[in-house]
Amino acid sequence: MQINSNNSYQPNFGALHIANAGRIKLYQIADNADKKFLKTLQERIDTKELMPNLGKDEYKRWNEMIEYATYNAQFPENTTYLAVCDNKPCGILTWRSDKNAILDCICTWPVEYGKKVKLAGQTLFYQLFKDFLELKCKKLELEAITNGPFNTIEKYEKLGLKKTSKVYPTKTVMETNSNKIKETLYKLDEIIEYEKLEPEKVKLSDELEI
């Protein structure tokens, strides 16, 4: 993983290890120490080194999304998941709910030069969808960016979300409901080897390569 190194930096935080999905482990951010770590994490991810041949503006937007995800993780009302592949962070998802659910941000990145982490985004969505149904939410809403390095609208449509009439210069609001999420979960079950774990507080500094 091409992350700026700093041998003197030793994160001593913990997080809840909640699930495994093939190569990917899912952690739920559990306390303020975790949140402080996320702030430093976004400073260490170099998208230009990880994924070649993108434009300057695309790298800028990608970095902004990573920064936005780690920023939203700081709010106590938000639930944040960290995806880790081969002991290297590869994605963040933040969301909140009342009667409806709002996906604040999801962002993934490679851990190997030029290679996306297979199923990283889908695995984070899988966890979100499971939470959504357990909490008996009615609707899920998100803002799909339209000026990033990848076609997010197409990705979200494959997960059952539909575009709404709320269209802005750099984003489009999309939504889905509980019935559609149940259908999507059924499809994801066929490709994601999800194993729910009894939540365990772990010291990520012993597990992560950063």
Side-chain angles (χ1 to χ4, degrees):
M1 183 177 187
Q2 298 292 326
I3 291 182
N4 296 331
S5 62
N6 182 346
N7 294 331
S8 64
Y9 179 74
Q10 293 295 330
N12 58 3
F13 68 103
L16 295 174
H17 185 192
I18 60 168
N20 292 328
R23 293 173 62 196
I24 297 172
K25 295 180 180 180
L26 287 178
Y27 297 89
Q28 182 173 347
I29 300 306
D31 54 39
N32 288 332
D34 302 344
K35 296 175 182 179
K36 290 179 181 179
F37 165 77
L38 290 182
K39 286 184 177 180
T40 66
L41 178 64
Q42 60 94 8
E43 296 171 356
R44 295 165 180 274
I45 300 169
D46 190 335
T47 55
K48 190 173 183 180
E49 288 293 326
L50 289 166
M51 184 64 70
N53 303 322
L54 297 178
K56 180 180 178 181
D57 291 340
E58 292 173 319
Y59 287 123
K60 180 180 178 181
R61 186 58 164 151
W62 198 354
N63 293 334
E64 286 174 351
M65 294 308 298
I66 295 172
E67 182 177 358
Y68 184 66
T70 58
Y71 172 79
N72 276 283
Q74 308 304 310
F75 296 102
E77 64 270 23
N78 285 355
T79 298
T80 300
Y81 293 116
L82 179 70
V84 174
C85 178
D86 297 337
N87 299 327
K88 301 171 185 176
C90 65
I92 300 174
L93 181 149
T94 63
W95 78 289
R96 64 184 186 276
S97 69
D98 42 41
K99 291 183 180 180
N100 295 321
I102 304 294
L103 173 59
D104 280 314
C105 190
I106 178 173
C107 189
T108 63
W109 54 89
V111 297
E112 298 177 88
Y113 179 77
K115 296 181 180 180
K116 296 180 182 180
V117 177
K118 187 177 181 181
L119 299 178
Q122 292 97 316
T123 299
L124 286 166
F125 264 104
Y126 187 96
Q127 184 63 54
L128 169 60
F129 289 164
K130 287 180 69 67
D131 291 350
F132 178 96
L133 294 178
E134 288 178 7
L135 293 173
K136 298 182 179 180
C137 299
K138 303 297 182 181
K139 182 176 69 173
L140 170 66
E141 185 177 282
L142 60 80
E143 294 178 346
I145 62 169
T146 55
N147 64 337
F150 308 108
N151 188 333
T152 57
I153 289 180
E154 183 179 90
K155 290 178 181 292
Y156 298 154
E157 286 177 335
K158 290 180 179 179
L159 291 169
L161 287 107
K162 293 184 177 180
K163 293 184 288 187
T164 70
S165 59
K166 300 176 184 178
V167 178
Y168 305 96
T170 61
K171 60 188 179 183
T172 296
V173 177
M174 303 181 71
E175 63 182 33
T176 187
N177 57 43
S178 57
N179 288 333
K180 193 64 180 178
I181 283 177
K182 289 177 183 177
E183 293 178 13
T184 303
L185 265 179
Y186 180 78
K187 294 177 182 177
L188 290 177
D189 273 328
E190 297 179 352
I191 61 173
I192 294 176
E193 300 175 4
Y194 182 89
E195 177 190 5
K196 182 179 180 180
L197 304 176
E198 186 69 28
E200 177 186 5
K201 190 73 176 286
V202 298
K203 190 175 180 181
L204 288 184
S205 58
D206 293 337
E207 300 197 8
L208 295 187
E209 297 177 18
I210 58 173

